[in-house]
Amino acid sequence: MAQVVCYLNQGGNDYDGRQGAHISAIFVVLVVSTAVTFFPVLATKQTKVKIPLYVYLFARYFGAGVIIATAFIHLLDPAYSAIGPNTCVGMTAGWNSYSWVPAIALTSSMFIFLMDFAAERYVEKKYGLKHGHSEVVAVGTDGTQKRVGHSTHQHLHSGDQDAEPKSAQVADESSDASLKQGDSESLAERSFRQQIAAFLILEFGVIFHSVIIGLTLGSAGEEFSTLYVVIVFHQSFEGLGIGARLSAISFPHRLRWMPYVLCAAYGLTTPIAIAIGVGLATVYDSGSFTAQIVSGVLDSTSAGILLYTGFVELLARDFLFNPDRTDDDKQLAFMLVSLFLGAALMALLGKWA
């Protein structure tokens, strides 16, 4: 049975020779996805750009919904199709002894959790900075303890939902006047490192997925026309999620260039992968045994990363455990509608790609 399934899946190369159209995809995906990714960052990092609060909130929470739907619909399902129980790989010795897709996703999500928890513990023990409403106490250079107002780790994780988007503040204006500037800067630096670490994990998972998408589009045959349109929207929605999350991070002045580099990295990944796919179009076989293993493992790993990041870093910290969450019911409803709309549209795209 395994030999029959493998034979049927071994479709060979089906490139149809429309090189011009394939090359155009490189530039269209590059321009559209990069522009959408940069939008939320420019809206918050450039003071000359005035973006209404609700436009920013839409981008941020629509993007969060996209990330979660990507994990379920665009990663887990393709992973099962590549190395699941009823596939060529899944029926082969070594792969047929266990359900590897959920196992790989579980392993990657638990590993990310362990990294996140270790970072949290380090900050708690070294700086006394914890989640919640409790007062934070920092130790000054003279050995005395100094209060840091109501500032919390959660406050530093989440963007302000009640005002125009702005950088996270370390100390409240009413904080104890005796708190030294160095203590405040130290807390801000620790918070930034945790936030950027969480973001890099998110982008890492999305980039894995983007490479597979680019290779598939670049070497596609008769299904190219449908994939072209769907992937432009797919990468744009994903880019919106990346940019919106990046815009909520308060970067120190010395690293003010970093958000733009990270946006560009996402914008370039898929076009480069498409170009590689075009170059290998006549020899690349996405249905080969090796290609299926690579695709299935990467998709499973990315799914675990995005599931943890989506539910913990994006939803739980913004909605459930955020002491600075807005009390405006209208605004909360808008945020939730944006979230579910992003998830629904990204799930719908899974019908085609």
Side-chain angles (χ1 to χ4, degrees):
M1 180 61 71
Q3 291 178 342
V4 172
V5 172
C6 290
Y7 176 78
L8 293 175
N9 288 349
Q10 192 74 23
N13 178 266
D14 60 356
Y15 181 62
D16 60 3
R18 290 183 289 173
Q19 190 173 40
H22 284 72
I23 292 176
S24 74
I26 298 173
F27 298 99
V28 172
V29 172
L30 172 64
V31 172
V32 176
S33 63
T34 302
V36 173
T37 306
F38 269 94
F39 167 72
V41 174
L42 292 176
T44 55
K45 306 301 181 185
Q46 299 295 326
T47 56
K48 294 182 180 179
V49 180
K50 301 297 182 181
I51 301 296
L53 174 62
Y54 276 83
V55 173
Y56 169 78
L57 290 176
F58 174 81
R60 178 170 175 174
Y61 293 104
F62 180 90
V66 165
I67 295 299
I68 292 172
T70 296
F72 282 106
I73 307 300
H74 297 266
L75 291 172
L76 277 181
D77 186 59
Y80 273 105
S81 298
I83 60 175
N86 297 319
T87 65
C88 171
V89 175
M91 299 177 74
T92 304
W95 290 92
N96 63 0
S97 60
Y98 196 73
S99 185
W100 289 105
V101 172
I104 295 172
L106 173 64
T107 301
S108 65
S109 62
M110 294 302 287
F111 179 72
I112 298 305
F113 159 73
L114 188 61
M115 291 177 58
D116 194 21
F117 180 68
E120 296 276 356
R121 256 323 261 161
Y122 175 78
V123 169
E124 288 177 5
K125 294 176 69 174
K126 188 172 180 65
Y127 296 95
L129 188 62
K130 292 189 176 184
H131 287 284
H133 289 281
S134 59
E135 289 187 345
V136 176
V137 177
V139 180
T141 55
D142 58 356
T144 60
Q145 293 185 334
K146 299 177 174 64
R147 182 173 57 84
V148 190
H150 75 276
S151 290
T152 63
H153 189 184
Q154 178 58 53
H155 176 76
L156 298 172
H157 263 291
S158 303
D160 193 343
Q161 297 172 348
D162 285 314
E164 291 296 326
K166 59 184 178 180
S167 300
Q169 301 296 317
V170 176
D172 186 80
E173 292 178 356
S174 63
S175 296
D176 192 274
S178 63
L179 177 65
K180 295 182 181 293
Q181 182 66 23
D183 296 327
S184 177
E185 292 176 354
S186 176
L187 295 176
E189 178 68 18
R190 298 312 307 172
S191 177
F192 164 72
R193 291 183 182 181
Q194 285 197 305
Q195 291 181 77
I196 195 61
F199 174 81
L200 290 176
I201 290 169
L202 169 64
E203 182 158 5
F204 182 67
V206 170
I207 282 178
F208 263 177
H209 179 45
S210 298
V211 170
I212 300 299
I213 283 179
L215 288 172
T216 301
L217 182 60
S219 60
E222 61 181 19
E223 74 277 15
F224 172 78
S225 297
T226 301
L227 281 176
Y228 192 169
V229 175
V230 173
I231 285 176
V232 168
F233 281 101
H234 180 286
Q235 293 306 104
S236 298
F237 289 165
E238 237 175 31
L240 192 62
I242 289 290
R245 186 50 44 177
L246 189 58
S247 69
I249 300 176
S250 179
F251 285 83
H253 184 70
R254 72 180 189 281
L255 296 176
R256 60 186 182 278
W257 50 268
M258 184 177 283
Y260 307 106
V261 171
L262 292 173
C263 285
Y266 170 78
L268 287 169
T269 299
T270 302
I272 290 174
I274 294 173
I276 294 172
V278 172
L280 299 175
T282 59
V283 296
Y284 178 70
D285 179 12
S286 60
S288 70
F289 189 82
T290 301
Q292 289 294 293
I293 291 177
V294 172
S295 177
V297 171
L298 289 182
D299 280 348
S300 300
T301 302
S302 297
I305 292 173
L306 296 193
L307 283 173
Y308 176 83
T309 303
F311 283 112
V312 177
E313 295 288 345
L314 306 188
L315 296 192
R317 280 183 172 157
D318 273 10
F319 288 98
L320 301 179
F321 308 119
N322 184 6
D324 302 294
R325 185 187 63 222
T326 180
D327 291 325
D328 186 339
D329 288 338
K330 177 183 176 183
Q331 187 169 307
L332 283 171
F334 180 81
M335 290 157 56
L336 289 171
V337 169
S338 299
L339 171 72
F340 290 124
L341 181 61
L345 288 180
M346 199 62 170
L348 180 61
L349 287 181
K351 177 178 175 60
W352 299 280

